Amino acid sequence: MKNKDTIFALSSAYGKAGVSVFRISGPASKEILTTLTHGKKFTPNKMFYTGIYNPKNDDLLDTCMAVFFKSPHSYTGEDTIELFTHGSIAIVDILYKVLGSFKNTRLATPGEFTKQAFLNGRLDLTQVESIADLIEAQTESQRKLALKNANGDEAKLYNQWRQKLVKILAWYEASIDFSDNEMPKDVIEQSNKMLHDLINDMKKHISTSQIATRIKQGLNIAIIGKPNVGKSSLFNKIIGENKAIVSSIAGTTRDVIDATLDIEGFKVNLSDTAGLNEKTTDKIEKKGIQKANKIAKLADIKLYVIDNIKNLDYKKVDNDTIILLNKIDKKHNMNIDKNIIPISVKTGENFNTFWKILIKKIKEKMSFSNDITMSQQRYKEALNTTILELDNAIKTQQIDLKTEHIRLATETIGSITGEVYFNELLDEIFSTFCLGK
Ligand SMILES: Nc1nc2c(ncn2[C@@H]2O[C@H](COP(=O)(O)OP(=O)(O)OP(=O)(O)O)[C@@H](O)[C@H]2O)c(=O)[nH]1
Ligand SMILES: [Mg+2]
């Protein structure tokens, strides 16, 4: 799809910087570059050094590096220019004015360059969303996950499934068209088996979405335990600042205190909670305990702190719990279970052992294999709808209804990669992008 307008935007952040990058894309790009450079000769894909001039008064605007990408070999698939000017606010402002003064040019909307790339078939929607994730990435694991999905493997998988459905659809459509010929029974059996297999593959793939959610939103770790055992002290030590109040008074922490941190390249949401004093009659403390229990339930990993082995409530322990016996600088009961890690938050004794165990546990929860990992909640919803339609298609004996369910499933799966799309869906996806991308 060709864009009539030529769009432009600053692709780097606005402000004082070493370099500012402008992107200009559309049919007038080449002419704009020729005008700005006073007719300098240039070769596609080759960067060149040039002065750029205001066409109104021939004033030198800046000296810069420039490059021209000829359609379709550009990010957007259209003729595109990139200008690398000095990173000055004054240059950015004047260039905006100058570029806007060319005929049929306008400022790009956020994500519009990428939207053009999609509309021109340069990227499918899964790649578009991976680019958005890559720009958002703040941790190593988020970067790796986004890059892994940017190569289009996810789209290939969805397209393969879609093609299988199209094939089955073709059998059924043919049978409706020639309805005096009964559909051969073995064809129905074979297609039902194919649908079953597809549903199983889809369900398996959906199960990988949990990892991506954790990598993007962060792994939730809750510190829980009885009052005064050193939960807030541990929280402060892990985050490296005195955010939570520590005191010798039991019941100091009432509300949940959160911190987001990067542990070994993984985003982690750490919560300190109120001490679990089940006997309390204090209304506020009770509320705090309710919150603590809720946070513990939602946590991917729990750090269960005790300061006395007698206070260990095994009902609170599962595979995702690390039990820490704190305050071993005071007294140390050596007869402890090997699953309990003795530490002293105060002196740091044995803290490294705990830290290694914690990192191992985080990696277990966050590692994604070489299999294709589902990267967006949107795909999960679409695949769940697809599975529902396929289930209905298997259940019904009526060929026309079967066909309708499979057709809906095919459309839904096509919406993941953008084979089938609605403008509202595109608006939603591209609105998450920044200007200039
Ligand atoms: N000796 C010793 N004291 C510690 C250690 N860790 C924490 N404490 C002390 O234990 C007391 C309680 O610490 P907090 O971190 O406030 O305990 P908490 O579990 O958050 O308590 P609540 O918020 O009331 O549930 C404070 O006086 C800390 O200084 C430790 O490793 N050794
Ligand atoms: Mg506390």
Side-chain angles (χ1 to χ4, degrees):
M1 190 187 287
K2 289 281 174 218
N3 194 7
K4 201 173 129 290
D5 289 341
T6 294
I7 53 172
F8 64 89
L10 178 71
S11 284
S12 51
Y14 182 78
K16 217 157 113 177
V19 179
S20 285
V21 183
F22 276 86
R23 194 178 260 166
I24 302 136
S25 174
S29 301
K30 197 173 176 186
E31 195 190 315
I32 291 174
L33 188 57
T34 307
T35 309
L36 285 178
T37 59
H38 275 175
K40 198 153 183 157
K41 292 263 171 291
F42 49 83
T43 317
N45 302 335
K46 257 201 167 148
M47 237 186 189
F48 63 103
Y49 177 71
T50 183
I52 45 173
Y53 302 86
N54 190 338
K56 275 217 172 102
N57 50 20
D58 285 343
D59 249 13
L60 179 68
L61 298 168
D62 192 14
T63 53
C64 70
M65 298 300 291
V67 62
F68 172 68
F69 299 103
K70 193 166 165 43
S71 168
H73 305 292
S74 70
Y75 180 69
T76 60
E78 319 241 315
D79 278 358
T80 301
I81 319 168
E82 282 178 8
L83 300 176
F84 300 78
T85 67
H86 291 96
S88 135
I89 290 173
I91 296 171
V92 171
D93 290 348
I94 185 78
L95 252 178
Y96 263 149
K97 266 193 204 148
V98 167
L99 291 171
S101 69
F102 283 93
K103 217 174 143 203
N104 294 331
T105 59
R106 64 171 172 81
L107 187 61
T109 54
E112 197 173 357
F113 293 100
T114 309
K115 190 173 181 179
Q116 276 307 318
F118 165 71
L119 294 174
N120 286 327
R122 303 283 294 164
L123 300 169
D124 70 78
L125 281 188
T126 69
Q127 289 171 306
V128 164
E129 286 165 308
S130 303
I131 292 171
D133 281 353
L134 194 59
I135 294 170
E136 287 290 320
Q138 290 189 332
T139 64
E140 259 303 274
S141 55
Q142 289 170 342
R143 181 187 67 78
K144 280 185 184 156
L145 180 69
L147 267 184
K148 182 172 171 335
N149 289 322
N151 66 4
D153 280 357
E154 218 174 343
K156 254 183 238 153
L157 179 70
Y158 301 138
N159 280 333
Q160 273 170 17
W161 287 342
R162 188 168 176 272
Q163 272 152 21
K164 278 188 188 165
L165 289 177
V166 169
K167 197 169 149 191
I168 300 171
L169 203 56
W171 293 344
Y172 286 137
E173 298 273 15
S175 105
I176 290 175
D177 288 349
F178 306 103
S179 52
D180 38 342
N181 290 334
E182 270 268 301
M183 184 94 167
K185 215 172 160 216
D186 60 329
V187 171
I188 296 186
E189 271 169 21
Q190 201 191 334
S191 68
N192 275 353
K193 190 187 169 301
M194 274 173 84
L195 295 181
H196 267 300
D197 290 349
L198 270 174
I199 290 176
N200 284 339
D201 288 350
M202 287 177 190
K203 283 187 176 163
K204 220 171 114 195
H205 181 57
I206 288 174
S207 68
T208 64
S209 70
Q210 197 190 20
I211 299 274
T213 307
R214 280 185 189 149
I215 286 179
K216 287 202 234 176
Q217 292 174 9
L219 188 79
N220 298 319
I221 303 183
I223 304 177
I224 55 161
K226 289 256 177 318
N228 211 39
V229 291
K231 298 181 297 300
S232 299
S233 308
L234 176 68
F235 177 84
N236 288 345
K237 186 166 172 74
I238 294 176
I239 68 167
E241 62 174 291
N242 286 331
K243 189 172 178 184
I245 300 172
V246 167
S247 92
S248 56
I249 304 164
T252 297
T253 308
R254 297 295 181 96
D255 224 331
V256 178
I257 303 167
D258 294 314
T260 297
L261 53 158
D262 182 331
I263 299 182
E264 299 263 318
F266 297 105
K267 181 177 174 183
V268 167
N269 308 311
L270 184 70
S271 303
D272 179 25
T273 61
L276 303 169
N277 174 14
E278 268 95 16
K279 286 187 196 123
T280 188
T281 51
D282 185 307
K283 256 173 135 182
I284 297 172
E285 200 177 2
K286 266 189 182 169
K287 273 203 167 164
I289 294 167
Q290 272 172 9
K291 270 195 174 183
N293 282 325
K294 201 170 155 196
I295 292 285
K297 241 190 194 162
L298 295 173
D300 299 299
I301 298 174
K302 282 157 290 205
L303 305 179
Y304 183 16
V305 187
I306 50 171
D307 63 356
N308 186 330
I309 192 76
K310 285 188 216 135
N311 287 337
L312 184 59
D313 175 358
Y314 278 98
K315 275 188 277 178
K316 299 216 176 299
V317 180
D318 57 22
N319 266 344
D320 298 323
T321 307
I322 297 175
I323 310 167
L324 298 168
L325 174 66
N326 189 28
K327 306 192 185 180
I328 56 167
D329 53 292
K330 270 189 15 200
K331 56 176 182 196
H332 185 5
N333 179 352
M334 293 304 287
N335 298 323
I336 56 168
D337 198 301
K338 66 172 178 19
N339 293 322
I340 300 173
I341 309 163
I343 56 161
S344 165
V345 175
K346 192 174 176 183
T347 64
E349 199 179 334
N350 216 27
F351 195 82
N352 277 346
T353 309
F354 152 64
W355 198 242
K356 275 184 203 148
I357 291 170
L358 178 63
I359 287 168
K360 192 166 162 238
K361 197 118 201 127
I362 292 174
K363 285 186 177 162
E364 258 171 46
K365 296 267 171 199
M366 300 282 242
S367 64
F368 47 89
S369 63
N370 286 330
D371 295 347
I372 299 164
T373 312
M374 178 182 273
S375 60
Q376 313 288 337
Q377 185 65 25
R378 186 175 77 81
Y379 311 164
K380 189 176 168 181
E381 283 158 19
L383 277 193
N384 277 330
T385 310
T386 308
I387 290 172
L388 208 74
E389 292 296 347
L390 296 184
D391 253 339
N392 287 334
I394 293 170
K395 277 184 202 138
T396 180
Q397 305 299 322
Q398 275 178 266
I399 297 296
D400 53 346
L401 276 182
K402 259 187 196 295
T403 313
E404 184 56 16
H405 286 305
I406 298 173
R407 199 183 57 72
L408 286 172
T410 313
E411 250 179 50
T412 312
I413 205 164
S415 72
I416 298 181
T417 56
E419 289 277 334
V420 178
Y421 68 85
F422 314 98
N423 284 331
E424 301 88 75
L425 171 69
L426 294 194
D427 288 348
E428 200 180 306
I429 291 172
F430 290 101
S431 66
T432 63
F433 274 80
C434 44
L435 191 71
K437 190 67 198 167

